[in-house]
């Protein structure tokens, strides 16, 4: 099976981690619409990922849903190997999988700390390393990390998350230098408040939604599809001279850092 021959990502093969929902789902869908063959990674419930893969194939594209826990090195290596077996190469990795759990700093338990760092920081490292080794053998590639505005701005109550995303910023910056000789570009997307399952508690609370509307300069939460558009740019040749950068997709909220 080979990648599609038309579209902005025609001929490219992409892995999107944590793509059974939210931002990852929107990115996988958009990449497929633009001609990429897409591996839709999921952690546990594969129903939505499977349905998306089937829809992409029905529409004439190429896609596969693959289970893997990004915090497990053997699982990540087998994910990348499966994609290369199936599609012949790898051009784009989107490190999207992520979790967050709120606890006051002095109450954070070790399990929260370890799991958040494992999924949000070690996971992207493991995926970047396995994908980078593969891309080095080919024509290079593009690695896109979905970090957060909290890669740079504090997030009281979510210290493991902010520490992981801050680490992801430096992982990206180091990797962009070390991988540039192999024509592998590495960039981050830093979303603000996007309407996805990770924000289910906020979305279910009209007062919180209203508060966000007040502090976001564009006066609303973002949509997963709006993050996906920037991922499309970074995956495509349009961004051929872009590496080592973070792109904010936040409705302007970081201009209001004091309101966060
Ligand atoms: P989401 O909860 O819908 O997506 C996260 C996905 O990651 C889920 O599908 C989940 O199953 C998957 N996942 C969790 N642990 C995993 C693991 N170990 N291995 C593989 N997959 C795993 O929420 P989302 O908002 O779409 O989040 C996507 C990314 O965007 C995350 O990295 C998140 O931190 C980041 N982000 C989101 C927002 C926002 O406001 N929604 C803001 C900033 C950053």
């Amino acid at each position: 099976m080979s990648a599609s021959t038309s579209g902005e990502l025609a001929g490219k093969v992409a892995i999107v981690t944590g793509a059974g929902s939210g931002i990852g789902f929107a990115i996988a869908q958009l990449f497929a619409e633009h001609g990429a063959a897409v591996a839709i990674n999921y952690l546990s419930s594969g129903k939505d990922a499977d349905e998306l893969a089937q829809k992409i194939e029905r529409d004439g594209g190429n896609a596969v849903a693959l289970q893997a826990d990004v915090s497990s090195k053997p699982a990540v290596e087998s994910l990348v190997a499966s994609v290369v077996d199936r599609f012949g190469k790898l051009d784009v990795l989107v490190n999207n999988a992520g979790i967050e759990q709120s606890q006051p700093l002095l109450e954070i338990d070790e399990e929260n700390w370890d799991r958040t760092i494992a999924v949000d920081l070690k996971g992207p490292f493991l995926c970047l390393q396995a994908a980078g080794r593969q891309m080095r053998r080919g024509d290079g590639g593009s690695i896109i990390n979905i970090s957060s505005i909290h890669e740079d701005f504090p997030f009281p109550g979510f210290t493991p998350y902010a520490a992981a995303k801050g680490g992801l910023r430096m992982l990206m910056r180091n990797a962009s230098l070390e991988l540039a000789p192999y024509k592998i570009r590495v960039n981050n997307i830093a979303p603000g408040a996007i309407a996805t399952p990770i924000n289910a508690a906020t979305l279910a609370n009209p007062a919180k939604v209203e508060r966000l509307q007040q502090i976001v300069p564009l006066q609303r939460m973002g949509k997963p599809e709006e993050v996906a558009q920037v991922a499309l740019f970074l995956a495509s040749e349009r961004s051929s001279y872009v590496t080592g950068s973070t792109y904010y997709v936040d409705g302007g909220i970081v201009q209001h850092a004091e309101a966060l």
Side-chain angles (χ1 to χ4, degrees):
M1 190 174 278
S2 63
S4 297
T5 50
S6 67
E8 189 147 359
L9 299 182
K12 291 196 189 292
V13 177
I15 297 177
V16 186
T17 68
S21 64
I23 292 168
F25 187 95
I27 292 172
Q29 198 167 32
L30 190 67
F31 280 12
E33 279 168 21
H34 285 265
V38 188
I40 302 159
N41 160 251
Y42 65 92
L43 175 62
S44 46
S45 162
K47 185 170 171 290
D48 292 341
D50 271 330
E51 282 177 8
L52 178 58
Q54 285 164 21
K55 179 176 183 307
I56 290 168
E57 296 249 323
R58 272 199 312 275
D59 292 346
N62 295 314
V64 61
L66 294 170
Q67 192 282 332
D69 180 339
V70 296
S71 69
S72 155
K73 187 176 162 92
V76 165
E77 286 180 345
S78 130
L79 170 68
V80 170
S82 303
V83 172
V84 174
D85 266 2
R86 188 174 175 110
F87 296 120
K89 61 175 184 154
L90 177 62
D91 305 290
V92 180
L93 164 69
V94 183
N95 273 321
N96 166 80
I99 55 170
E100 64 178 37
Q101 188 189 330
S102 179
Q103 282 184 316
L105 180 61
L106 299 184
E107 315 307 328
I108 292 168
D109 53 54
E110 201 178 349
E111 196 190 349
N112 175 7
W113 178 269
D114 286 349
R115 188 63 188 156
T116 306
I117 298 294
V119 176
D120 292 5
L121 183 56
K122 182 180 168 189
F125 160 69
L126 292 173
C127 293
L128 177 147
Q129 193 180 54
R133 286 175 177 160
Q134 184 58 44
M135 291 171 180
R136 180 173 60 180
R137 290 194 205 115
D139 299 329
S142 174
I143 296 175
I144 302 159
N145 304 309
I146 308 301
S147 65
S148 165
I149 56 171
H150 300 296
E151 71 164 44
D152 211 15
F153 292 89
F155 197 11
F158 293 84
T159 297
Y161 182 80
K165 297 296 188 178
L168 189 50
R169 176 176 169 82
M170 287 312 297
L171 173 63
M172 176 277 288
R173 293 179 68 191
N174 261 37
S176 70
L177 296 182
E178 289 203 35
L179 302 184
Y182 308 116
K183 298 189 176 61
I184 301 170
R185 301 182 293 103
V186 191
N187 294 283
N188 280 12
I189 295 176
I194 311 298
T196 71
I198 216 171
N199 284 323
T202 300
L203 290 164
N205 183 335
K208 283 193 173 174
V209 173
E210 196 177 318
R211 160 96 178 124
L212 272 172
Q213 286 163 352
Q214 282 163 4
I215 64 172
V216 175
L218 287 180
Q219 301 180 346
R220 62 176 175 85
M221 292 181 80
K223 299 180 221 152
E225 295 75 18
E226 294 175 303
V227 182
Q229 290 293 340
V230 181
L232 174 62
F233 165 71
L234 289 171
S236 78
E237 296 311 313
R238 285 178 192 246
S239 59
S240 54
Y241 201 53
V242 176
T243 196
S245 292
T246 290
Y247 285 76
Y248 286 89
V249 183
D250 70 339
I253 198 170
V254 294
Q255 312 292 341
H256 270 299
E258 77 281 2
L260 296 178

Coordinates of all heavy atoms in Angstrom, one line a residue, residues 14-94:
A14 N 2.7 9.8 7.8 CA 2.7 10.5 9.1 C 2.2 9.6 10.2 O 1.3 8.7 10.0 CB 1.8 11.7 9.0
I15 N 2.8 9.7 11.4 CA 2.3 9.1 12.6 C 1.7 10.3 13.4 O 2.4 11.3 13.6 CB 3.3 8.4 13.4 CG1 3.9 7.2 12.6 CG2 2.8 7.9 14.8 CD1 5.1 6.5 13.4
V16 N 0.5 10.1 13.9 CA 0.0 11.1 14.9 C -0.3 10.3 16.2 O -1.1 9.4 16.2 CB -1.3 11.8 14.4 CG1 -1.7 12.9 15.4 CG2 -1.1 12.4 13.0
T17 N 0.4 10.7 17.3 CA 0.1 9.9 18.5 C -1.1 10.5 19.3 O -1.4 11.7 19.1 CB 1.4 10.0 19.5 OG1 1.5 11.3 20.0 CG2 2.6 9.5 18.8
G18 N -1.8 9.6 20.0 CA -2.9 10.1 20.8 C -4.0 10.6 19.9 O -4.6 11.6 20.2
A19 N -4.2 10.0 18.7 CA -5.1 10.6 17.7 C -6.5 10.0 17.7 O -7.2 10.3 16.7 CB -4.4 10.4 16.3
G20 N -6.9 9.4 18.8 CA -8.3 8.9 18.8 C -9.3 9.9 19.3 O -10.5 9.7 19.3
S21 N -8.8 11.1 19.6 CA -9.6 12.2 20.1 C -9.0 13.5 19.9 O -7.8 13.6 19.6 CB -10.0 12.0 21.6 OG -8.8 12.1 22.3
G22 N -9.8 14.6 20.1 CA -9.3 16.0 20.2 C -8.4 16.4 19.0 O -8.6 16.3 17.8
I23 N -7.3 17.1 19.4 CA -6.4 17.7 18.5 C -5.7 16.7 17.6 O -5.6 16.9 16.3 CB -5.3 18.5 19.3 CG1 -5.9 19.7 20.0 CG2 -4.2 19.0 18.3 CD1 -5.0 20.4 21.0
G24 N -5.3 15.6 18.1 CA -4.7 14.5 17.3 C -5.6 14.0 16.2 O -5.2 13.8 15.1
F25 N -6.8 13.8 16.6 CA -7.9 13.3 15.7 C -8.0 14.3 14.5 O -8.0 13.9 13.3 CB -9.2 13.1 16.4 CG -10.3 12.5 15.6 CD1 -10.5 11.1 15.7 CD2 -11.1 13.2 14.8 CE1 -11.6 10.5 15.0 CE2 -12.1 12.6 14.1 CZ -12.4 11.3 14.2
A26 N -8.1 15.6 14.8 CA -8.2 16.6 13.8 C -7.0 16.7 12.9 O -7.1 16.9 11.7 CB -8.5 18.0 14.5
I27 N -5.8 16.5 13.5 CA -4.6 16.5 12.7 C -4.6 15.3 11.7 O -4.3 15.5 10.5 CB -3.4 16.5 13.6 CG1 -3.3 17.9 14.3 CG2 -2.1 16.3 12.7 CD1 -2.2 17.9 15.4
A28 N -4.9 14.1 12.2 CA -4.9 12.9 11.4 C -5.8 13.1 10.2 O -5.5 12.8 9.1 CB -5.2 11.7 12.2
Q29 N -7.0 13.6 10.5 CA -8.1 13.8 9.5 C -7.6 14.8 8.4 O -7.7 14.5 7.2 CB -9.3 14.3 10.2 CG -10.6 14.2 9.4 CD -11.8 14.5 10.3 OE1 -11.7 15.3 11.3 NE2 -12.9 13.8 10.1
L30 N -7.0 15.9 8.9 CA -6.6 16.9 7.9 C -5.4 16.4 7.1 O -5.3 16.7 5.9 CB -6.2 18.2 8.7 CG -6.0 19.4 7.8 CD1 -7.3 19.9 7.1 CD2 -5.4 20.6 8.6
F31 N -4.5 15.7 7.7 CA -3.3 15.2 7.0 C -3.8 14.3 5.9 O -3.3 14.3 4.7 CB -2.4 14.5 7.9 CG -1.4 15.3 8.7 CD1 -1.6 16.7 8.8 CD2 -0.3 14.8 9.4 CE1 -0.7 17.5 9.5 CE2 0.5 15.6 10.1 CZ 0.3 16.9 10.2
A32 N -4.8 13.4 6.2 CA -5.3 12.5 5.2 C -6.0 13.2 4.1 O -5.8 12.9 2.9 CB -6.3 11.5 5.9
E33 N -6.8 14.2 4.4 CA -7.4 15.0 3.4 C -6.4 15.6 2.4 O -6.7 15.9 1.3 CB -8.2 16.2 4.0 CG -9.6 15.8 4.6 CD -10.2 16.8 5.5 OE1 -9.8 18.0 5.3 OE2 -11.1 16.5 6.3
H34 N -5.2 15.9 2.9 CA -4.2 16.5 2.1 C -3.2 15.5 1.5 O -2.1 15.8 1.1 CB -3.5 17.6 2.9 CG -4.3 18.8 3.0 ND1 -4.2 19.9 2.1 CD2 -5.3 19.1 3.8 CE1 -5.1 20.8 2.4 NE2 -5.8 20.4 3.5
G35 N -3.6 14.2 1.5 CA -2.9 13.2 0.8 C -1.9 12.3 1.5 O -1.3 11.4 0.9
A36 N -1.7 12.6 2.8 CA -0.8 11.7 3.6 C -1.4 10.4 3.9 O -2.6 10.2 4.1 CB -0.4 12.4 4.9
A37 N -0.5 9.4 4.0 CA -0.9 8.1 4.6 C -0.7 8.3 6.1 O 0.4 8.8 6.5 CB 0.0 7.0 4.1
V38 N -1.7 8.0 6.9 CA -1.7 8.3 8.3 C -1.8 7.1 9.2 O -2.7 6.3 9.1 CB -2.8 9.3 8.6 CG1 -2.7 9.8 10.1 CG2 -2.9 10.5 7.7
A39 N -0.9 7.1 10.2 CA -1.0 6.1 11.3 C -1.6 6.8 12.5 O -1.0 7.8 13.0 CB 0.4 5.5 11.7
I40 N -2.8 6.3 12.9 CA -3.6 7.0 13.9 C -3.3 6.2 15.2 O -3.9 5.1 15.4 CB -5.1 6.9 13.6 CG1 -5.3 7.7 12.2 CG2 -5.9 7.6 14.7 CD1 -6.6 7.3 11.5
N41 N -2.4 6.7 16.0 CA -2.1 6.0 17.3 C -3.1 6.3 18.4 O -3.6 7.4 18.5 CB -0.7 6.4 17.8 CG -0.5 6.1 19.2 OD1 -0.4 7.0 20.1 ND2 -0.4 4.9 19.6
Y42 N -3.4 5.2 19.1 CA -4.3 5.4 20.3 C -3.8 4.6 21.5 O -3.0 3.7 21.3 CB -5.7 5.0 19.9 CG -5.9 3.5 19.6 CD1 -6.2 2.6 20.6 CD2 -5.7 3.1 18.3 CE1 -6.4 1.3 20.3 CE2 -5.8 1.7 18.0 CZ -6.1 0.8 19.0 OH -6.2 -0.5 18.7
L43 N -4.2 4.9 22.7 CA -3.7 4.2 23.9 C -4.6 3.0 24.2 O -4.1 1.9 24.2 CB -3.7 5.2 25.0 CG -3.3 4.5 26.4 CD1 -1.9 3.9 26.3 CD2 -3.4 5.5 27.5
S44 N -5.9 3.2 24.4 CA -6.7 2.1 24.9 C -7.9 1.8 24.1 O -8.1 0.8 23.5 CB -7.0 2.3 26.4 OG -7.5 3.6 26.6
S45 N -8.8 2.8 24.0 CA -10.0 2.6 23.3 C -9.8 2.9 21.8 O -9.7 4.1 21.5 CB -11.2 3.4 23.9 OG -12.2 3.5 22.9
G46 N -9.8 1.9 20.9 CA -9.5 2.1 19.5 C -10.6 2.4 18.6 O -10.5 2.6 17.4
K47 N -11.9 2.5 19.2 CA -13.1 2.7 18.4 C -13.0 3.9 17.4 O -13.2 3.8 16.2 CB -14.3 2.7 19.3 CG -15.6 2.7 18.5 CD -16.8 2.5 19.5 CE -18.1 2.8 18.8 NZ -18.4 4.2 18.4
D48 N -12.7 5.0 18.0 CA -12.7 6.3 17.2 C -11.6 6.3 16.2 O -11.7 6.7 15.1 CB -12.7 7.5 18.1 CG -13.9 7.7 19.0 OD1 -15.0 7.1 18.6 OD2 -13.9 8.4 20.0
A49 N -10.4 5.8 16.7 CA -9.3 5.7 15.8 C -9.5 4.8 14.6 O -9.3 5.1 13.4 CB -8.0 5.3 16.5
D50 N -10.1 3.6 14.9 CA -10.5 2.6 13.9 C -11.5 3.2 12.9 O -11.3 3.1 11.6 CB -11.1 1.4 14.5 CG -10.1 0.4 14.9 OD1 -9.0 0.3 14.2 OD2 -10.3 -0.4 15.8
E51 N -12.5 3.9 13.4 CA -13.5 4.5 12.5 C -12.9 5.6 11.6 O -13.3 5.6 10.5 CB -14.7 5.1 13.4 CG -15.6 4.0 13.9 CD -16.7 4.5 14.8 OE1 -16.9 5.7 15.0 OE2 -17.4 3.6 15.4
L52 N -12.0 6.4 12.2 CA -11.4 7.4 11.4 C -10.6 6.7 10.2 O -10.6 7.1 9.1 CB -10.5 8.3 12.2 CG -9.8 9.4 11.4 CD1 -10.7 10.3 10.7 CD2 -8.9 10.2 12.4
A53 N -9.8 5.7 10.6 CA -9.0 5.0 9.6 C -9.9 4.4 8.5 O -9.6 4.5 7.3 CB -8.2 3.9 10.3
Q54 N -11.0 3.8 8.9 CA -11.9 3.3 7.9 C -12.5 4.3 7.0 O -12.6 4.2 5.8 CB -13.0 2.5 8.6 CG -12.5 1.1 9.1 CD -13.5 0.5 10.1 OE1 -14.7 0.9 10.2 NE2 -13.0 -0.4 11.0
K55 N -12.8 5.5 7.6 CA -13.4 6.6 6.8 C -12.4 7.1 5.8 O -12.7 7.3 4.6 CB -13.9 7.7 7.7 CG -14.5 8.8 6.9 CD -15.1 9.9 7.8 CE -15.7 11.0 7.0 NZ -14.9 11.6 6.0
I56 N -11.2 7.3 6.2 CA -10.1 7.7 5.3 C -9.9 6.8 4.2 O -9.8 7.2 3.0 CB -8.8 7.9 6.1 CG1 -8.9 9.1 7.1 CG2 -7.6 8.1 5.2 CD1 -7.8 9.2 8.1
E57 N -10.0 5.5 4.5 CA -9.8 4.5 3.4 C -11.0 4.5 2.5 O -10.8 4.4 1.2 CB -9.5 3.1 4.0 CG -8.3 3.0 4.8 CD -7.2 2.2 4.2 OE1 -7.5 1.1 3.6 OE2 -6.0 2.5 4.3
R58 N -12.2 4.6 3.0 CA -13.4 4.7 2.2 C -13.3 5.9 1.2 O -13.8 5.8 0.1 CB -14.6 4.8 3.0 CG -15.3 3.5 3.5 CD -16.7 3.7 3.9 NE -16.9 4.8 4.8 CZ -16.8 4.8 6.2 NH1 -16.4 3.6 6.7 NH2 -17.0 5.8 6.9
D59 N -12.7 7.0 1.7 CA -12.6 8.2 0.9 C -11.4 8.1 -0.1 O -11.1 9.1 -0.7 CB -12.4 9.4 1.8 CG -13.7 9.7 2.6 OD1 -14.8 9.1 2.2 OD2 -13.7 10.5 3.6
G60 N -10.7 7.0 -0.1 CA -9.6 6.8 -1.1 C -8.3 7.1 -0.6 O -7.3 7.0 -1.3
G61 N -8.1 7.3 0.8 CA -6.8 7.6 1.4 C -6.2 6.3 2.0 O -6.8 5.2 1.8
N62 N -5.1 6.5 2.7 CA -4.5 5.4 3.3 C -4.3 5.7 4.8 O -3.8 6.8 5.2 CB -3.1 5.2 2.8 CG -3.1 4.7 1.3 OD1 -3.9 3.9 0.9 ND2 -2.3 5.4 0.5
A63 N -4.8 4.8 5.7 CA -4.7 5.0 7.1 C -4.8 3.7 7.8 O -5.3 2.7 7.4 CB -5.9 5.9 7.6
V64 N -4.2 3.7 9.0 CA -4.2 2.6 9.9 C -4.3 3.1 11.4 O -3.7 4.1 11.7 CB -3.0 1.6 9.7 CG1 -1.7 2.3 10.0 CG2 -3.1 0.3 10.5
A65 N -5.1 2.4 12.2 CA -5.1 2.7 13.6 C -4.2 1.7 14.3 O -4.3 0.5 14.1 CB -6.6 2.6 14.1
L66 N -3.3 2.2 15.2 CA -2.3 1.4 15.8 C -2.3 1.7 17.3 O -2.1 2.9 17.7 CB -0.9 1.6 15.2 CG -0.8 1.1 13.8 CD1 0.6 1.6 13.2 CD2 -0.9 -0.4 13.7
Q67 N -2.4 0.7 18.1 CA -2.4 0.9 19.6 C -0.9 1.0 20.0 O -0.1 0.2 19.6 CB -3.1 -0.3 20.3 CG -3.3 -0.1 21.8 CD -2.1 -0.3 22.7 OE1 -1.2 -1.0 22.3 NE2 -2.1 0.4 23.8
A68 N -0.6 1.9 20.9 CA 0.7 1.9 21.5 C 0.7 2.9 22.7 O 0.1 4.0 22.5 CB 1.8 2.3 20.5
D69 N 1.4 2.6 23.8 CA 1.5 3.6 24.9 C 2.9 4.3 24.6 O 3.9 3.7 24.6 CB 1.6 2.8 26.2 CG 1.8 3.7 27.4 OD1 2.3 4.8 27.2 OD2 1.5 3.2 28.5
V70 N 2.8 5.6 24.4 CA 4.0 6.3 24.0 C 5.1 6.4 25.0 O 6.2 6.7 24.8 CB 3.7 7.8 23.5 CG1 2.8 7.8 22.3 CG2 3.1 8.6 24.6
S71 N 4.7 6.0 26.3 CA 5.7 6.0 27.3 C 6.5 4.7 27.4 O 7.4 4.6 28.2 CB 5.0 6.3 28.7 OG 4.3 5.2 29.1
S72 N 6.2 3.8 26.5 CA 6.9 2.5 26.5 C 7.8 2.4 25.3 O 7.3 2.4 24.1 CB 5.8 1.3 26.5 OG 6.4 0.2 25.9
K73 N 9.1 2.2 25.5 CA 10.0 2.2 24.4 C 9.8 1.0 23.5 O 9.7 1.2 22.3 CB 11.5 2.1 25.0 CG 12.6 2.2 24.0 CD 13.9 2.2 24.6 CE 15.1 1.9 23.7 NZ 15.7 3.0 23.1
P74 N 9.5 -0.2 24.0 CA 9.2 -1.3 23.0 C 8.0 -1.0 22.2 O 7.9 -1.3 21.0 CB 9.0 -2.5 23.9 CG 9.6 -2.2 25.2 CD 9.6 -0.7 25.4
A75 N 6.9 -0.4 22.8 CA 5.7 -0.1 22.1 C 5.9 0.9 21.0 O 5.4 0.8 19.9 CB 4.6 0.4 23.1
V76 N 6.7 1.9 21.3 CA 7.0 3.0 20.4 C 7.8 2.4 19.2 O 7.6 2.7 18.0 CB 7.8 4.2 21.1 CG1 8.4 5.1 20.1 CG2 6.8 4.9 22.0
E77 N 8.8 1.6 19.5 CA 9.7 1.0 18.4 C 8.8 0.1 17.5 O 9.0 0.1 16.3 CB 10.8 0.2 19.0 CG 11.9 1.2 19.6 CD 13.1 0.6 20.2 OE1 13.1 -0.6 20.5 OE2 14.1 1.4 20.4
S78 N 7.9 -0.6 18.2 CA 7.0 -1.5 17.3 C 6.0 -0.6 16.5 O 5.7 -1.0 15.4 CB 6.4 -2.5 18.2 OG 5.1 -2.6 18.0
L79 N 5.6 0.5 17.1 CA 4.7 1.4 16.3 C 5.4 1.9 15.1 O 4.8 1.9 13.9 CB 4.3 2.6 17.2 CG 3.5 3.8 16.6 CD1 2.1 3.3 16.1 CD2 3.4 5.0 17.6
V80 N 6.6 2.4 15.2 CA 7.3 3.0 14.1 C 7.6 1.9 13.1 O 7.4 2.0 11.8 CB 8.6 3.7 14.5 CG1 9.5 4.1 13.3 CG2 8.3 5.0 15.4
A81 N 8.0 0.7 13.6 CA 8.3 -0.4 12.7 C 7.1 -0.8 11.9 O 7.2 -1.1 10.7 CB 8.9 -1.6 13.5
S82 N 5.9 -0.9 12.5 CA 4.7 -1.3 11.8 C 4.3 -0.3 10.7 O 3.9 -0.7 9.7 CB 3.5 -1.3 12.8 OG 3.7 -2.1 13.9
V83 N 4.6 1.0 11.0 CA 4.2 2.0 10.0 C 5.2 1.9 8.8 O 4.7 1.9 7.6 CB 4.3 3.4 10.6 CG1 4.2 4.5 9.6 CG2 3.3 3.6 11.7
V84 N 6.4 1.7 9.1 CA 7.4 1.5 8.0 C 7.1 0.3 7.2 O 7.2 0.2 5.9 CB 8.8 1.6 8.5 CG1 9.8 1.3 7.4 CG2 9.1 3.0 9.1
D85 N 6.8 -0.8 7.9 CA 6.4 -2.1 7.2 C 5.2 -1.8 6.3 O 5.2 -2.3 5.1 CB 5.9 -3.1 8.2 CG 7.0 -4.0 8.7 OD1 8.1 -3.8 8.2 OD2 6.7 -4.9 9.5
R86 N 4.2 -1.1 6.7 CA 3.0 -0.9 6.0 C 3.1 0.1 4.9 O 2.6 -0.1 3.8 CB 1.9 -0.5 7.0 CG 0.5 -0.5 6.3 CD -0.6 -0.2 7.3 NE -1.8 -0.1 6.7 CZ -2.8 -1.0 6.8 NH1 -2.6 -2.1 7.5 NH2 -4.0 -0.8 6.2
F87 N 3.8 1.2 5.2 CA 3.8 2.3 4.2 C 5.1 2.6 3.6 O 5.3 3.4 2.7 CB 3.3 3.6 4.9 CG 1.8 3.5 5.3 CD1 1.5 3.7 6.7 CD2 0.8 3.3 4.4 CE1 0.2 3.7 7.1 CE2 -0.5 3.3 4.8 CZ -0.8 3.5 6.2
G88 N 6.2 1.8 4.0 CA 7.5 1.9 3.4 C 8.4 3.0 3.9 O 9.6 2.9 3.6
K89 N 8.0 3.9 4.6 CA 8.9 5.0 5.1 C 8.1 5.8 6.2 O 7.0 5.5 6.5 CB 9.3 5.9 4.0 CG 8.1 6.6 3.3 CD 8.6 7.5 2.2 CE 7.4 8.3 1.7 NZ 7.7 9.6 1.1
L90 N 8.8 6.8 6.7 CA 8.1 7.8 7.6 C 8.7 9.2 7.4 O 9.9 9.4 7.3 CB 8.4 7.3 9.1 CG 7.9 8.3 10.2 CD1 6.3 8.3 10.1 CD2 8.3 7.8 11.5
D91 N 7.8 10.1 7.2 CA 8.1 11.5 6.9 C 7.8 12.5 8.0 O 8.4 13.5 8.1 CB 7.4 12.0 5.6 CG 7.7 11.1 4.4 OD1 8.9 11.1 4.0 OD2 6.8 10.4 4.0
V92 N 6.7 12.2 8.7 CA 6.2 13.2 9.7 C 5.8 12.5 11.0 O 5.1 11.4 10.9 CB 4.9 13.9 9.1 CG1 4.4 14.9 10.1 CG2 5.2 14.6 7.8
L93 N 6.2 13.0 12.1 CA 5.8 12.5 13.4 C 5.1 13.7 14.1 O 5.7 14.8 14.2 CB 6.9 12.1 14.2 CG 6.7 11.9 15.7 CD1 5.7 10.7 16.0 CD2 7.9 11.7 16.5
V94 N 3.9 13.5 14.6 CA 3.2 14.5 15.5 C 3.1 13.9 16.9 O 2.4 12.9 17.1 CB 1.8 14.9 15.0 CG1 1.3 16.0 15.9 CG2 1.9 15.4 13.5

